[in-house]
Amino acid sequence: MADPALGPNDVVGAGLCVGCGACAAGSAALSFDGRGLLVPSGDWARRRSDGFARICPFSPAAHNEDEIAADRFPAAAHRDAQIGSYEQAYVGHVAEDGFRANGSSGGMVSWVAAELLRRGLIDGVAHVAAADPGRDGRFFSYRISRSEAGISAGAKSRYYPVELSRILAEIRAVPGRYAIVGVPCFIKAVHLLRREEPLLAERIPFTLGLFCGHMKSARFAESFAWQLGAPFEQVKAVEYRLKNPARPANWYTAHLTLADGSTRWQDWWHLADGDWGAGFFQNPACNYCDDVVAETADISFGDAWVEPYSSDGRGTNVVIARSPLLHRILRDGIAEGRLAFSPVDAAFVAETQAAGLRHRREGLAYRLRVFPPRLPLRKRVRPASVAPPLRRRLIYRFRASISAWSHRVFALARRTHWTGLYVHWARLMLALYRRLAYPRR
């Protein structure tokens, strides 16, 4: 039986929309909902079609990551169940001046984007950069940069909802060759679109993937402001990972810049929702994702969250080169001394992302068994036939509860203007979560 036609509202209603904007057209096609998540809006979102069902990354009719990767990298040197098909993986940092210091990690995302531009392989890079909240109604958005300076301005991590519709419209309208930087589900959506639109297949020859734990709502930045005593309407810029070479890379610092030029900052571990693994403000679709390392991208980048790299405040990247061309560019950079990288195997990469992979493999199998989604997803992970140990089950359930209730409690706190309601609740949930997840601490 053929898969039924779907519409954007079907995916939103099932809690599976990541707000990527691949299905959208027009400047107001997506908007923030009450949770601070970008979702399709307007009459068009109610229309069902086979075309939409083929391009939505969470549609049961869409090709999965293995199928896309088999088409993209048919002769890959390696194939691993956790990190996908690839030519070679590396750990290290950019040695060329400026890139490492300006990025939140080892500087590799910006370096590869700039190198593609230098070599004339692309005319622009679609990436996320800071926006003007007063003018744009958001702190970050996708844009296309056509210079190294523009790429540099978009460096660093952005844990904020963004969408692709505007830059996809620009790529359709302006001839050229483009690279797109994105999290795994966004890169998957781009490849699904490329299958449907030959023009995009021609104009988007490169995809640069970012390792992803989960996506946050816009309320995460607002929570920072509440806890740092900053009037949110006065916040003009948000930095999620303020870099300090004198401190370990995994000591995140949130930093806000206000309209009067003053700043507020605090280390994440002092914040009520500062433990990433607890899942505060998580997009609910992330509960059903099985791709941590952007398996469909031509090259993927993450942080090396193992020692001695996680203690190096200057930042260190793990890189997975999947396309032969991108692998050759990396080898050239290493040979020329512009990159300081060493080859590693799949087990090393998996170790750097152990928590995320466990949550997307064992955790997903458990969630598919006890919290099946409202759409019949075609996941590569099957529902668990045997439940994981009790403590792991409790952790997965507690994370899901924190993810769901953080949106609700924060919304109530906003309506009542009682910020302490959310902050006190979050501190209690975080304390309970830590006792469960880290008993030896």
Side-chain angles (χ1 to χ4, degrees):
M1 180 180 293
D3 291 304
L6 289 175
N9 280 356
D10 296 319
V11 179
V12 173
L16 295 171
C17 179
V18 291
C20 66
C23 62
S27 59
L30 279 83
S31 59
F32 285 106
D33 67 6
R35 299 165 297 176
L37 297 171
L38 283 171
V39 295
S41 59
D43 291 340
W44 73 275
R46 290 191 285 272
R47 291 194 288 269
R48 293 173 171 164
S49 71
D50 293 334
F52 170 82
R54 292 192 297 268
I55 65 171
C56 175
F58 279 85
S59 164
H63 289 276
N64 68 24
E65 288 80 356
D66 285 346
E67 293 164 338
I68 296 170
D71 182 54
R72 295 284 293 168
F73 321 117
H78 306 281
R79 166 69 192 162
D80 180 79
Q82 297 195 90
I83 72 168
S85 301
Y86 67 102
E87 295 295 316
Q88 182 61 59
Y90 295 90
V91 65
H93 61 271
V94 179
E96 193 172 339
D97 287 346
F99 287 96
R100 191 184 193 189
N102 192 50
S104 58
S105 189
M108 269 301 288
V109 183
S110 296
W111 187 89
V112 170
E115 189 68 8
L116 290 172
L117 203 61
R118 290 168 182 163
R119 292 179 178 228
L121 295 172
I122 57 172
D123 301 292
V125 179
H127 62 135
V128 178
D132 183 341
R135 181 192 65 216
D136 304 317
R138 60 196 67 190
F139 287 99
F140 303 98
S141 62
Y142 263 97
R143 76 178 186 195
I144 294 179
S145 291
R146 302 174 186 273
S147 68
E148 288 189 46
I151 293 170
S152 178
K156 301 193 177 181
S157 299
R158 322 293 194 183
Y159 306 125
Y160 191 87
V162 292
E163 53 95 5
L164 293 162
S165 66
R166 187 178 63 80
I167 61 104
L168 288 171
E170 185 174 343
I171 290 171
R172 291 183 181 103
V174 182
R177 290 165 60 84
Y178 300 89
I180 292 185
V181 182
V183 294
C185 55
F186 279 43
I187 297 299
K188 178 182 178 181
V190 168
H191 288 307
L192 294 172
L193 268 176
R194 291 175 77 256
R195 285 172 173 261
E196 296 293 306
E197 296 188 43
L199 180 68
L200 291 182
E202 176 188 340
R203 293 185 179 178
I204 306 174
F206 300 104
T207 51
L208 283 55
L210 308 173
F211 292 11
C212 181
H214 62 262
M215 295 171 65
K216 297 287 193 185
S217 91
R219 303 291 182 246
F220 193 38
E222 193 169 349
S223 173
F224 284 175
W226 285 9
Q227 295 178 70
L228 299 183
F232 188 60
E233 65 277 4
Q234 295 297 314
V235 176
K236 296 302 178 186
V238 178
E239 191 166 343
Y240 292 91
R241 293 172 60 178
L242 190 66
K243 200 164 195 174
N244 185 343
R247 289 155 43 107
N250 55 3
W251 289 12
Y252 285 15
T253 301
H255 187 272
L256 306 178
T257 301
L258 276 60
D260 62 3
S262 63
T263 61
R264 306 280 193 278
W265 63 271
Q266 184 59 274
D267 292 325
W268 278 36
W269 67 70
H270 293 306
L271 299 173
D273 39 22
D275 188 319
W276 185 274
F280 290 93
F281 301 112
Q282 176 183 286
N283 186 312
C286 299
N287 279 320
Y288 299 100
C289 175
D290 57 6
D291 185 0
V292 174
V293 296
E295 296 176 43
T296 67
D298 295 298
I299 187 168
S300 305
F301 313 90
D303 289 274
W305 294 138
V306 293
E307 294 295 353
Y309 307 108
S310 57
S311 292
D312 189 342
R314 294 170 297 175
T316 306
N317 276 121
V318 179
V319 179
I320 306 173
R322 304 187 192 280
S323 90
L325 175 56
L326 268 297
H327 186 210
R328 187 161 61 249
I329 289 174
L330 258 62
R331 287 184 300 180
D332 290 347
I334 294 168
E336 295 161 2
R338 295 191 290 148
L339 301 178
F341 276 87
S342 302
V344 293
D345 60 15
F348 177 89
V349 178
E351 184 183 0
T352 70
Q353 310 300 317
L357 286 167
R358 184 169 55 244
H359 190 67
R360 303 285 183 90
R361 296 296 192 271
E362 178 189 77
L364 175 56
Y366 179 65
R367 288 190 294 279
L368 289 172
R369 175 184 175 183
V370 298
F371 307 123
R374 283 177 277 175
L375 282 178
L377 298 181
R378 294 172 55 230
K379 307 307 295 182
R380 298 171 298 168
V381 175
R382 301 302 178 197
S385 57
V386 178
L390 176 61
R391 190 170 69 86
R392 297 305 314 169
R393 298 201 303 270
L394 293 174
I395 288 172
Y396 296 137
R397 284 179 175 270
F398 203 54
R399 280 179 184 161
S401 177
I402 288 175
S403 297
W405 280 97
S406 58
H407 297 292
R408 298 165 187 161
V409 177
F410 197 89
L412 180 59
R414 285 179 103 228
R415 284 198 301 270
T416 61
H417 304 287
W418 181 16
T419 60
L421 172 64
Y422 169 76
V423 174
H424 292 310
W425 173 86
R427 289 199 184 282
L428 174 61
M429 292 301 103
L430 183 58
L432 293 173
Y433 174 79
R434 284 176 168 168
R435 284 183 177 274
L436 179 62
Y438 316 122
R440 286 179 289 180
R441 295 186 189 179

